[in-house]
Amino acid sequence: MNELFVYISLGLMVLLFILSSLVYKKIRIWKLIIVIITGVAYGIIRLIPDLITFLTIEEATEYYTYILYLVLIVIAITFKNKIKITQNLTDYDFFELEKELEEVKDTSDLLRLRFISTIGLLNEGLIFYDDNLEGMFITEKAKEIINAENVDLTLDDYVSYIHEEDKTEYIQTIKKANKKNPNYEVKYRVKKNGSYIWVVEKGKTFFHKNKSFLLSSLKGIDMKLFPETMIHELDSIPNEEKLSHVIAQIRKEKEPFHLVLMHLTNIPDINKRFGRDVGNLMIAEYIKKMRYHFAKDFNTIFRITGIEFALVIKENQKYEVLKRALVSGGDLINLRLNIGGIQQVVYPNVGVVRHDPWSNYESDDLINLGQKALEEAIRNNKKNYSIFGE
């Protein structure tokens, strides 16, 4: 669905550029540059994704989609009719002007209908905030997600749907979005049909005529389908079978690496206190942070059980950072996470195994040693980690 939206949006962008050039009888260089850059960026994502090293392809595609929203809106907003009328116009001139105006009006109406229809194809709802954040317009999909009565809401109206514990977090997050930090993401609970459901809102600030505007997407999180709805954090993580295969491949490179097993110790307690939905969201946030710091490669983080994960760290510098965090008990490992208005520190027990090029251990042997190191870390009351091979 997102791919269809991208193609439609790129087509609309090119159409707008051509129509703008015809109406103004002048090619706007900045628009041409934006169209070219936008097209080239999508070409890189689709054809040569290896060039993108600082993001996963899924993240790059998602960010590209939101940027495409904004670029299309900006180009659409700058598409204006410019007609000069003088005192010496003949009846024929008036006829031609009226004809041209009607054509432009038809084009504008068609563009508006196409854009509205495109929005209707999306699985996410959209929220368009007013420049003063006092009101907003939401699409029909967003209205359906929160079960609102109208698509035009004041901020107070919208906040009334949000769980009391999550209201402060939501308001602070949208008000922090600015030119320096335009992107934000916030999870919170909204009341629907007498009970609360979790939603995730991802937004971006853009500027027009010295005013800032917020545009965001809204998506409900069905905890029964959690892996399907939270794609990057959990669903994309390979399992233990894949771990064995990856270790076997890395061993052929004759380079040292570390196998790290993490047991998210207090997740069961979080489940009991706040519910399994909060626990799952905490796991997703924790793994997202671990992936960013230690496992940006797709196949270097694995899910062993519901609360047990494995990392394969090949860069010694990354491992040294991890080891310092374990020794010091720093917040790089013991993470303070916010989910809506709920704040908890998620901490693991960690077992580490070092593999050297001359080692005769097979993949399963290394995993078993990692499990033993993890069990020792769980039993140890003085420290939450155990390292084998150093």
Side-chain angles (χ1 to χ4, degrees):
M1 190 65 73
N2 283 340
E3 186 174 350
L4 175 61
F5 171 76
V6 169
Y7 289 138
I8 292 175
S9 298
L10 287 173
L12 289 175
M13 193 182 303
V14 173
L15 176 63
L16 277 173
F17 172 75
I18 294 173
L19 291 175
S20 176
S21 300
L22 292 175
V23 171
Y24 285 91
K25 294 182 174 58
K26 181 179 179 181
I27 295 178
R28 302 289 182 180
I29 300 300
W30 68 271
K31 288 186 180 180
L32 177 61
I33 292 174
I34 288 178
V35 171
I36 293 174
I37 290 176
T38 306
V40 170
Y42 188 67
I44 291 174
I45 292 174
R46 295 290 297 171
L47 302 178
I48 45 178
D50 291 339
L51 293 179
I52 304 173
T53 59
F54 54 91
L55 292 172
T56 64
I57 296 304
E58 291 81 1
E59 289 174 335
T61 302
E62 182 179 359
Y63 293 151
Y64 177 82
T65 302
Y66 295 131
I67 292 172
L68 191 57
Y69 283 157
L70 300 180
V71 172
L72 182 58
I73 291 173
V74 169
I75 292 180
I77 290 174
T78 58
F79 181 73
K80 298 178 180 179
N81 182 33
K82 189 177 184 181
I83 299 177
K84 293 182 179 180
I85 301 177
T86 67
Q87 294 180 347
N88 299 320
L89 293 176
T90 64
D91 290 341
Y92 177 78
D93 293 326
F94 275 114
F95 175 76
E96 287 297 313
L97 285 173
E98 289 175 353
K99 182 179 178 182
E100 184 177 348
L101 177 60
E102 188 64 29
E103 290 175 353
V104 172
K105 183 177 180 299
D106 289 342
T107 301
S108 178
D109 289 341
L110 178 60
L111 176 64
R112 180 177 58 83
L113 291 174
R114 284 177 175 174
F115 185 71
I116 292 173
S117 299
T118 301
I119 290 176
L121 295 174
L122 301 176
N123 291 324
E124 299 89 353
L126 296 180
I127 301 176
F128 300 88
Y129 289 90
D130 295 343
D131 62 308
N132 54 15
L133 292 182
E134 292 182 359
M136 64 185 71
F137 169 79
I138 63 176
T139 61
E140 289 294 330
K141 184 63 178 179
K143 175 185 173 185
E144 176 186 331
I145 291 173
I146 67 173
N147 200 27
E149 296 181 358
N150 303 303
V151 294
D152 290 301
L153 302 172
T154 66
L155 184 63
D156 290 339
D157 291 336
Y158 187 79
V159 169
S160 68
Y161 291 97
I162 300 176
H163 193 286
E164 192 66 33
E165 294 179 356
D166 302 340
K167 290 179 179 180
T168 301
E169 178 74 13
Y170 163 76
I171 293 174
Q172 289 178 348
T173 300
I174 64 171
K175 289 187 176 181
K176 285 181 182 177
N178 52 42
K179 196 169 186 177
K180 186 177 181 180
N181 299 296
N183 300 307
Y184 70 88
E185 178 178 324
V186 59
K187 297 181 179 70
Y188 50 89
R189 290 161 288 183
V190 295
K191 193 168 187 178
K192 183 177 182 180
N193 299 327
S195 61
Y196 285 97
I197 63 168
W198 282 96
V199 297
V200 55
E201 180 178 333
K202 298 181 180 180
K204 185 177 181 65
T205 301
F206 67 96
F207 294 85
H208 175 65
K209 292 185 177 179
N210 297 323
K211 291 184 178 181
S212 63
F213 297 86
L214 281 185
L215 167 65
S216 69
S217 67
L218 186 72
K219 188 174 183 179
I221 303 174
D222 186 345
M223 302 311 298
K224 295 179 182 178
L225 299 175
F226 183 81
E228 181 177 325
T229 57
M230 296 302 293
I231 295 171
H232 299 299
E233 290 80 1
L234 292 178
D235 191 41
S236 64
I237 300 179
N239 57 21
E240 185 175 355
E241 181 179 351
K242 184 67 174 178
L243 172 62
S244 298
H245 177 73
V246 169
I247 291 177
Q249 293 296 319
I250 297 177
R251 288 180 67 249
K252 296 178 182 178
E253 300 175 5
K254 301 300 180 181
E255 295 288 340
F257 65 86
H258 290 83
L259 173 63
V260 181
L261 269 67
M262 290 186 168
H263 182 271
L264 303 186
T265 307
N266 64 327
I267 288 296
D269 180 60
I270 291 174
N271 288 341
K272 290 179 181 179
R273 294 176 61 192
F274 303 103
R276 187 170 295 275
D277 54 347
V278 176
N280 284 336
L281 289 172
M282 290 284 182
I283 293 174
E285 287 297 312
Y286 191 92
I287 295 306
K288 183 178 179 180
K289 301 289 186 182
M290 291 300 102
R291 187 194 294 275
Y292 176 79
H293 290 297
F294 304 110
K296 289 186 178 179
D297 294 335
F298 179 78
N299 285 330
T300 54
I301 186 167
F302 308 83
R303 194 171 195 180
I304 308 301
T305 66
I307 59 174
E308 189 176 308
F309 297 84
L311 305 174
V312 177
I313 302 179
K314 294 188 288 184
E315 298 89 344
N316 190 62
Q317 184 178 3
K318 285 187 178 180
Y319 171 70
E320 290 300 326
V321 173
L322 173 66
K323 185 176 180 180
R324 286 196 298 270
L326 289 173
V327 173
S328 65
D331 55 10
L332 193 62
I333 291 296
N334 302 325
L335 300 181
R336 184 176 298 276
L337 302 176
N338 290 310
I339 300 296
I342 301 171
Q343 185 179 92
Q344 290 289 299
V345 175
V346 176
Y347 54 85
N349 288 102
V350 180
V352 181
V353 178
R354 176 181 170 85
H355 172 79
D356 292 301
W358 56 85
S359 172
N360 293 323
Y361 290 119
E362 299 293 333
S363 300
D364 291 341
D365 296 331
L366 287 170
I367 294 174
N368 289 334
L369 287 173
Q371 290 288 356
K372 291 180 180 178
L374 180 60
E375 290 171 3
E376 181 179 334
I378 294 174
R379 289 194 301 268
N380 195 327
N381 294 325
K382 294 183 179 180
K383 60 181 183 179
N384 66 335
Y385 67 93
S386 175
I387 302 176
F388 179 85
E390 291 187 3

